[in-house]
Short mmCIF file of all heavy atoms in Angstrom, two decimals:
data_model
loop_
_atom_site.label_atom_id
_atom_site.label_comp_id
_atom_site.label_asym_id
_atom_site.label_seq_id
_atom_site.Cartn_x
_atom_site.Cartn_y
_atom_site.Cartn_z
N VAL A 142 -1.93 -1.14 2.42
CA VAL A 142 -1.21 -1.56 3.61
C VAL A 142 0.22 -1.02 3.59
O VAL A 142 0.89 -1.08 2.56
CB VAL A 142 -1.15 -3.11 3.71
CG1 VAL A 142 -0.35 -3.56 4.92
CG2 VAL A 142 -2.56 -3.71 3.76
N ILE A 143 0.66 -0.49 4.71
CA ILE A 143 2.07 -0.18 4.91
C ILE A 143 2.62 -1.28 5.81
O ILE A 143 2.18 -1.43 6.95
CB ILE A 143 2.29 1.18 5.58
CG1 ILE A 143 1.86 2.32 4.67
CG2 ILE A 143 3.76 1.35 5.98
CD1 ILE A 143 2.02 3.70 5.28
N SER A 144 3.55 -2.07 5.27
CA SER A 144 4.14 -3.16 6.06
C SER A 144 5.42 -2.70 6.74
O SER A 144 5.53 -2.72 7.95
CB SER A 144 4.41 -4.38 5.19
OG SER A 144 3.20 -4.98 4.80
N THR A 145 6.40 -2.28 5.95
CA THR A 145 7.66 -1.81 6.52
C THR A 145 7.86 -0.32 6.29
O THR A 145 8.70 0.29 6.91
CB THR A 145 8.86 -2.55 5.88
OG1 THR A 145 8.91 -2.24 4.48
CG2 THR A 145 8.75 -4.06 6.09
N GLY A 146 7.12 0.24 5.35
CA GLY A 146 7.26 1.65 5.00
C GLY A 146 8.18 1.89 3.83
O GLY A 146 8.26 3.02 3.32
N GLU A 147 8.86 0.86 3.35
CA GLU A 147 9.82 1.04 2.26
C GLU A 147 9.16 1.49 0.96
O GLU A 147 9.67 2.38 0.28
CB GLU A 147 10.63 -0.24 2.03
CG GLU A 147 11.65 -0.51 3.10
CD GLU A 147 12.62 0.65 3.30
OE1 GLU A 147 13.18 1.15 2.31
OE2 GLU A 147 12.81 1.05 4.46
N THR A 148 8.04 0.89 0.60
CA THR A 148 7.37 1.30 -0.63
C THR A 148 6.92 2.75 -0.54
O THR A 148 7.09 3.53 -1.49
CB THR A 148 6.16 0.39 -0.93
OG1 THR A 148 6.63 -0.95 -1.12
CG2 THR A 148 5.40 0.85 -2.16
N MET A 149 6.38 3.13 0.59
CA MET A 149 5.91 4.51 0.76
C MET A 149 7.09 5.48 0.72
O MET A 149 7.00 6.55 0.11
CB MET A 149 5.11 4.65 2.05
CG MET A 149 4.33 5.93 2.15
SD MET A 149 3.05 6.15 0.89
CE MET A 149 1.78 5.03 1.46
N LYS A 150 8.22 5.12 1.35
CA LYS A 150 9.41 5.98 1.32
C LYS A 150 9.86 6.21 -0.12
O LYS A 150 10.13 7.34 -0.53
CB LYS A 150 10.56 5.34 2.09
CG LYS A 150 10.43 5.41 3.58
CD LYS A 150 11.59 4.70 4.25
CE LYS A 150 11.31 4.55 5.73
NZ LYS A 150 12.32 3.72 6.41
N ARG A 151 9.94 5.13 -0.89
CA ARG A 151 10.38 5.25 -2.29
C ARG A 151 9.38 6.05 -3.11
O ARG A 151 9.76 6.83 -3.98
CB ARG A 151 10.61 3.87 -2.90
CG ARG A 151 11.86 3.20 -2.36
CD ARG A 151 12.16 1.88 -3.03
NE ARG A 151 11.18 0.87 -2.61
CZ ARG A 151 10.48 0.12 -3.45
NH1 ARG A 151 10.63 0.23 -4.74
NH2 ARG A 151 9.62 -0.77 -2.99
N THR A 152 8.10 5.88 -2.83
CA THR A 152 7.07 6.62 -3.55
C THR A 152 7.20 8.12 -3.28
O THR A 152 7.19 8.93 -4.21
CB THR A 152 5.67 6.12 -3.15
OG1 THR A 152 5.59 4.71 -3.40
CG2 THR A 152 4.59 6.85 -3.92
N ILE A 153 7.36 8.49 -2.02
CA ILE A 153 7.54 9.90 -1.66
C ILE A 153 8.78 10.47 -2.34
O ILE A 153 8.74 11.56 -2.90
CB ILE A 153 7.60 10.06 -0.12
CG1 ILE A 153 6.24 9.71 0.50
CG2 ILE A 153 8.05 11.47 0.26
CD1 ILE A 153 6.28 9.54 2.02
N ASP A 154 9.87 9.72 -2.30
CA ASP A 154 11.11 10.17 -2.96
C ASP A 154 10.90 10.38 -4.45
O ASP A 154 11.35 11.38 -5.02
CB ASP A 154 12.24 9.16 -2.75
CG ASP A 154 12.79 9.16 -1.33
OD1 ASP A 154 12.53 10.14 -0.58
OD2 ASP A 154 13.47 8.18 -0.96
N ASP A 155 10.20 9.45 -5.10
CA ASP A 155 9.97 9.57 -6.53
C ASP A 155 9.08 10.77 -6.86
O ASP A 155 9.31 11.46 -7.86
CB ASP A 155 9.36 8.28 -7.10
CG ASP A 155 10.38 7.14 -7.21
OD1 ASP A 155 11.59 7.40 -7.03
OD2 ASP A 155 9.96 6.00 -7.46
N VAL A 156 8.07 11.03 -6.03
CA VAL A 156 7.23 12.21 -6.24
C VAL A 156 8.08 13.47 -6.14
O VAL A 156 8.00 14.37 -6.98
CB VAL A 156 6.06 12.25 -5.23
CG1 VAL A 156 5.37 13.62 -5.23
CG2 VAL A 156 5.05 11.16 -5.51
N ARG A 157 8.90 13.55 -5.11
CA ARG A 157 9.77 14.72 -4.92
C ARG A 157 10.74 14.88 -6.08
O ARG A 157 10.98 16.00 -6.54
CB ARG A 157 10.52 14.61 -3.59
CG ARG A 157 9.60 14.79 -2.39
CD ARG A 157 10.31 14.54 -1.09
NE ARG A 157 9.43 14.82 0.05
CZ ARG A 157 9.66 14.39 1.28
NH1 ARG A 157 10.75 13.67 1.56
NH2 ARG A 157 8.82 14.68 2.25
N ASN A 158 11.31 13.78 -6.54
CA ASN A 158 12.24 13.84 -7.67
C ASN A 158 11.58 14.32 -8.96
O ASN A 158 12.26 14.84 -9.84
CB ASN A 158 12.89 12.47 -7.90
CG ASN A 158 13.87 12.10 -6.81
OD1 ASN A 158 14.37 12.95 -6.10
ND2 ASN A 158 14.12 10.81 -6.66
N GLN A 159 10.27 14.16 -9.06
CA GLN A 159 9.52 14.60 -10.24
C GLN A 159 8.89 15.98 -10.06
O GLN A 159 8.11 16.42 -10.89
CB GLN A 159 8.43 13.58 -10.59
CG GLN A 159 8.97 12.24 -11.06
CD GLN A 159 9.70 12.36 -12.37
OE1 GLN A 159 9.24 13.01 -13.31
NE2 GLN A 159 10.87 11.73 -12.45
N GLY A 160 9.21 16.64 -8.93
CA GLY A 160 8.73 18.00 -8.72
C GLY A 160 7.38 18.13 -8.05
O GLY A 160 6.78 19.20 -8.07
N GLY A 161 6.92 17.05 -7.43
CA GLY A 161 5.66 17.10 -6.70
C GLY A 161 5.90 17.21 -5.21
O GLY A 161 7.01 17.04 -4.73
N GLU A 162 4.83 17.48 -4.48
CA GLU A 162 4.90 17.59 -3.02
C GLU A 162 3.85 16.67 -2.41
O GLU A 162 2.66 16.76 -2.72
CB GLU A 162 4.63 19.02 -2.57
CG GLU A 162 4.65 19.21 -1.08
CD GLU A 162 4.25 20.62 -0.66
OE1 GLU A 162 4.07 21.50 -1.53
OE2 GLU A 162 4.10 20.83 0.55
N VAL A 163 4.31 15.76 -1.54
CA VAL A 163 3.39 14.86 -0.84
C VAL A 163 3.00 15.52 0.47
O VAL A 163 3.86 15.87 1.27
CB VAL A 163 4.02 13.48 -0.57
CG1 VAL A 163 3.03 12.58 0.17
CG2 VAL A 163 4.47 12.83 -1.87
N ILE A 164 1.71 15.71 0.68
CA ILE A 164 1.26 16.39 1.90
C ILE A 164 0.65 15.43 2.92
O ILE A 164 0.57 15.76 4.10
CB ILE A 164 0.30 17.54 1.59
CG1 ILE A 164 -0.93 17.05 0.87
CG2 ILE A 164 0.99 18.63 0.80
CD1 ILE A 164 -2.00 18.12 0.71
N LEU A 165 0.27 14.21 2.47
CA LEU A 165 -0.33 13.24 3.38
C LEU A 165 -0.34 11.88 2.71
O LEU A 165 -0.47 11.77 1.50
CB LEU A 165 -1.78 13.66 3.70
CG LEU A 165 -2.58 12.81 4.68
CD1 LEU A 165 -1.97 12.89 6.09
CD2 LEU A 165 -4.04 13.26 4.71
N CYS A 166 -0.19 10.83 3.53
CA CYS A 166 -0.35 9.45 3.08
C CYS A 166 -1.48 8.83 3.89
O CYS A 166 -1.51 8.97 5.12
CB CYS A 166 0.92 8.63 3.32
SG CYS A 166 2.40 9.29 2.52
N VAL A 167 -2.41 8.16 3.21
CA VAL A 167 -3.53 7.52 3.89
C VAL A 167 -3.61 6.07 3.41
O VAL A 167 -3.59 5.81 2.21
CB VAL A 167 -4.87 8.24 3.60
CG1 VAL A 167 -6.03 7.54 4.32
CG2 VAL A 167 -4.79 9.71 4.02
N VAL A 168 -3.69 5.15 4.38
CA VAL A 168 -3.77 3.73 4.06
C VAL A 168 -4.88 3.07 4.87
O VAL A 168 -5.31 3.59 5.90
CB VAL A 168 -2.42 3.02 4.34
CG1 VAL A 168 -1.32 3.56 3.44
CG2 VAL A 168 -2.01 3.13 5.80
N LEU A 169 -5.28 1.92 4.40
CA LEU A 169 -6.28 1.13 5.11
C LEU A 169 -5.68 0.61 6.42
O LEU A 169 -6.27 0.78 7.49
CB LEU A 169 -6.75 -0.02 4.22
CG LEU A 169 -7.82 -0.95 4.75
CD1 LEU A 169 -9.09 -0.19 5.08
CD2 LEU A 169 -8.11 -2.04 3.73
N VAL A 170 -4.49 0.00 6.34
CA VAL A 170 -3.84 -0.58 7.52
C VAL A 170 -2.36 -0.21 7.52
O VAL A 170 -1.69 -0.30 6.50
CB VAL A 170 -3.95 -2.13 7.52
CG1 VAL A 170 -3.26 -2.73 8.74
CG2 VAL A 170 -5.41 -2.57 7.47
N SER A 171 -1.87 0.17 8.69
CA SER A 171 -0.44 0.44 8.87
C SER A 171 0.13 -0.53 9.89
O SER A 171 -0.44 -0.70 10.97
CB SER A 171 -0.20 1.87 9.34
OG SER A 171 1.18 2.08 9.57
N LYS A 172 1.26 -1.15 9.54
CA LYS A 172 1.96 -2.04 10.47
C LYS A 172 3.17 -1.35 11.10
O LYS A 172 3.90 -1.98 11.84
CB LYS A 172 2.44 -3.28 9.74
CG LYS A 172 1.36 -4.17 9.20
CD LYS A 172 2.05 -5.41 8.65
CE LYS A 172 1.26 -6.23 7.75
NZ LYS A 172 2.01 -7.41 7.28
N ILE A 173 3.40 -0.08 10.77
CA ILE A 173 4.55 0.63 11.33
C ILE A 173 4.11 1.42 12.55
O ILE A 173 2.94 1.79 12.67
CB ILE A 173 5.24 1.54 10.29
CG1 ILE A 173 4.29 2.64 9.80
CG2 ILE A 173 5.76 0.72 9.12
CD1 ILE A 173 4.96 3.69 8.91
N SER A 174 5.04 1.72 13.43
CA SER A 174 4.70 2.44 14.65
C SER A 174 4.73 3.96 14.48
O SER A 174 4.13 4.68 15.25
CB SER A 174 5.66 2.04 15.78
OG SER A 174 6.99 2.33 15.41
N SER A 175 5.41 4.43 13.45
CA SER A 175 5.55 5.87 13.24
C SER A 175 4.31 6.48 12.60
O SER A 175 3.59 5.82 11.85
CB SER A 175 6.76 6.13 12.34
OG SER A 175 6.91 7.51 12.10
N ASP A 176 4.08 7.75 12.89
CA ASP A 176 2.99 8.50 12.28
C ASP A 176 3.45 9.33 11.10
O ASP A 176 2.72 10.19 10.61
CB ASP A 176 2.33 9.42 13.32
CG ASP A 176 1.56 8.65 14.36
OD1 ASP A 176 1.02 7.57 14.02
OD2 ASP A 176 1.48 9.12 15.51
#
Side-chain angles (χ1 to χ4, degrees):
V142 178
I143 293 179
S144 290
T145 63
E147 287 304 311
T148 298
M149 193 62 75
K150 284 178 191 173
R151 288 185 288 128
T152 303
I153 293 168
D154 287 343
D155 286 350
V156 167
R157 290 174 176 163
N158 289 339
Q159 293 295 315
E162 178 185 354
V163 179
I164 59 172
L165 182 66
C166 302
V167 180
V168 296
L169 181 60
V170 179
S171 177
K172 295 186 196 180
I173 62 172
S174 59
S175 179
D176 290 329

